[in-house]
Amino acid sequence: MSGPLVIVGDSLLDVDVEGTADRLCPDAPVPVVEGQAEHRRPGGAGLAALLAARDGTRVVLITAMGDDPSGRCLEGLLSPAVEIVRLPLRGTTVRKTRVRARGQTMVRIDTGDGRAMGRPGQVASASAFARAADALASASAVLVADYGRGVADLLREPLRGLGVPLVWDPHPRGSLPVPGCALVTPSEAEARGMCEEPYVSPERTARRLVRDLDAEAVAITLGERGAMLARRGGRFGPVPVPHVAAGTDACGAGDRFAAAAAVALADGAPTEDAVARAVGEATRFVEEGGAAALRLPHPSRHCPAAESPVPFAPGASAFEVAAAVRAAGGRLIATGGCFDLLHAGHVSLLRRARALGDALVVCVNSDDSIRRLKGPSRPLVSERDRVEVLRALGCVDAVTVFDEDTPSWVIERLYPDVWVKGGDYDERSMPEAEAVRRAGGEVVILPTVPGYSTTGLIAAARAAS
């Protein structure tokens, strides 16, 4: 995957109020839910983007958000993990609140009437649409998560003929997919509504939709029965689940399916393999508790009511953060490098690293360490300033400086669950890999953003001077 996965669609704020219900209301025959916790997370296209980012994929999300408490909370939950191209919203951000008792949803309350607004030629939204066009042009694959709130409609023309796999996850309130999609992923109920002929079977409906939508393939998701896949040319067949999931809350399973399929297609997988992988990921997602089981650490200050499973004081040291994460049973992510002349490639890597766990610690080479590694002309930016810039990033929880040639010593003190490295490294060529293993962690290699390097920036600056 050379470019990012670009997700286009409507983002919502999902809220779960969890509690117990042991009695009835005295003035009406309804249960009284005593709330004990409130959890907030992105929904819709935002959930699909977050789930793809948690797989280590670089994600750009093109969506609309309102400048209201729910919109600001939604942006705060997403921005550490994904790059956001924010389109304007008319009205208020949609918020869906489920009241749950002992894992059972009692009622859902929907508020907000927001719809994406603006046109590419309008001055007020021209910059956002230009950024959206640039993101689509750089994509390795595109997923449209259409929840009928207008984002897909605004970008309908730019979505035609992209030249990369286009996956379309439809919604009853949304528009029909553009012609030429690599994969359309309706649920069985959505497929019934999209097909003009009477519903007979998933097989027949999937084959008909391939023709009607002029799609390369259609995969109708069937819950615990897996999916029915039909391809252009008449090829079709069921894609079974690897095993029946024990979970009962399937909220978000469709987003998990579509995101996994899009990532697989971006990696060059054949459609059959991409759908099989998506069925497996969606099954595991439900088995692990679905969207309700997601616990997003360190919500933005704009989400004051959301609970953080790993609380620690602002400005805590790297080792205090590590201790707090371990005490809370969380997942500590760490990465390291010089970070001389911080650029967009660094920020993308750090966002994706942070999405893998509950806190991110960045280990930075000292000035003396960089001189030994790169020569007397480096660093260009002092360690004090490099640390200050890194600490200002919302995706970074703490920074520590090491003076050795490798971060092995600091790794053995931090005990990270995951050590992230960017680029074309492998564990055998990474001197700190053994320290990570001794600390009980794993190494994850994330692809870097093409076209960005500190060396290249320095060379370009010198050439221009």
Side-chain angles (χ1 to χ4, degrees):
M1 182 186 294
S2 56
L5 171 65
V6 176
I7 297 181
V8 175
D10 311 290
S11 295
L12 327 168
L13 179 64
D14 283 348
V15 181
D16 280 350
V17 178
E18 302 278 357
T20 58
D22 298 321
R23 58 191 177 91
L24 294 177
C25 180
D27 56 354
V30 295
V32 175
V33 178
E34 296 184 1
Q36 298 172 339
E38 182 175 304
H39 305 292
R40 303 184 181 196
R41 62 180 179 274
L47 178 60
L50 180 66
L51 294 174
R54 286 195 159 196
D55 289 337
T57 304
R58 180 188 168 211
V59 176
V60 177
L61 172 63
I62 304 173
T63 193
M65 296 180 187
D67 187 18
D68 52 59
S70 292
R72 291 190 290 273
C73 179
L74 184 57
E75 184 176 25
L77 292 168
L78 284 166
S79 58
V82 306
E83 300 170 44
I84 301 173
V85 176
R86 183 170 177 169
L87 303 179
L89 189 80
R90 178 187 292 110
T92 57
T93 304
V94 175
R95 168 177 166 147
K96 298 185 176 182
T97 303
R98 297 193 305 174
V99 180
R100 293 163 55 82
R102 304 188 190 280
Q104 185 72 35
T105 299
M106 312 295 290
V107 66
R108 196 182 87 181
I109 304 167
D110 291 1
T111 59
D113 58 354
R115 285 191 62 85
M117 60 180 284
R119 293 291 176 186
Q122 292 179 349
V123 175
S125 54
S127 175
F129 278 99
R131 289 183 60 208
D134 289 344
L136 290 171
S138 69
S140 58
V142 175
L143 166 62
V144 175
D146 184 8
Y147 276 72
R149 294 283 175 173
V151 173
D153 290 337
L154 289 180
L155 295 173
R156 192 168 183 85
E157 287 306 313
L159 288 168
R160 296 175 184 267
L162 289 172
V164 297
L166 173 60
V167 178
W168 197 292
D169 191 16
H171 189 277
R173 294 182 179 176
S175 301
L176 289 176
V178 299
C181 289
L183 181 65
V184 181
T185 61
S187 67
E188 190 169 14
E190 291 162 348
R192 288 174 186 262
M194 295 169 70
C195 192
E196 295 182 359
E197 67 179 21
Y199 185 82
V200 176
S201 66
E203 169 195 315
R204 182 168 174 175
T205 300
R207 295 168 66 186
R208 177 63 184 263
L209 287 177
V210 167
R211 297 192 298 271
D212 290 351
L213 301 176
D214 190 19
E216 293 294 329
V218 171
I220 299 177
T221 56
L222 304 171
E224 64 182 21
R225 292 177 288 148
M228 175 60 67
L229 173 64
R231 299 193 61 191
R232 191 190 296 272
R235 290 172 289 172
F236 62 91
V239 181
V241 297
H243 58 275
V244 177
T248 58
D249 188 357
C251 178
D255 297 301
R256 186 71 186 104
F257 179 96
V263 170
L265 290 173
D267 287 336
T271 304
E272 292 89 342
D273 293 348
V275 172
R277 189 186 306 181
V279 168
E281 292 296 338
T283 301
R284 280 186 287 274
F285 181 74
V286 173
E287 193 166 47
E288 291 168 1
L294 289 177
R295 295 293 180 264
L296 302 187
H298 286 299
S300 160
R301 62 184 180 277
H302 299 305
C303 301
E307 294 189 347
S308 171
V310 186
F312 48 79
S317 73
F319 301 101
E320 289 170 337
V321 168
V325 172
R326 284 195 294 273
R331 183 175 170 88
L332 178 66
I333 312 300
T335 188
C338 300
F339 297 99
D340 200 7
L341 292 184
L342 193 73
H343 53 67
H346 289 137
V347 175
S348 174
L349 176 72
L350 293 172
R351 278 176 168 162
R352 286 176 286 149
R354 179 62 172 79
L356 298 176
D358 296 295
L360 172 64
V361 170
V362 179
C363 307
V364 179
N365 293 74
S366 70
D367 290 349
D368 288 340
S369 174
I370 292 177
R371 290 188 191 100
R372 291 194 300 271
L373 292 171
K374 298 182 179 293
S377 64
R378 298 282 299 275
L380 299 179
V381 180
S382 71
E383 67 186 61
R384 178 177 178 178
D385 290 344
R386 288 182 284 124
V387 168
E388 189 71 18
V389 171
L390 284 165
R391 281 178 175 161
L393 297 177
C395 54
V396 174
D397 295 287
V399 181
T400 188
V401 177
F402 63 93
D403 197 45
E404 296 75 25
D405 292 342
T406 76
S408 297
W409 178 80
V410 74
I411 287 170
E412 291 178 354
R413 289 189 63 198
L414 285 171
Y415 292 99
D417 296 286
V418 178
W419 176 258
V420 172
K421 201 70 176 178
D424 299 324
Y425 291 91
D426 59 54
E427 288 195 42
R428 289 173 295 180
S429 63
M430 198 181 301
E432 66 267 29
E434 181 57 35
V436 176
R437 286 191 290 270
R438 285 197 301 270
E442 62 174 315
V443 174
V444 171
I445 309 295
L446 296 180
T448 54
V449 180
Y452 289 98
S453 76
T454 300
T455 303
L457 286 174
I458 294 171
R462 286 174 176 167
S465 63

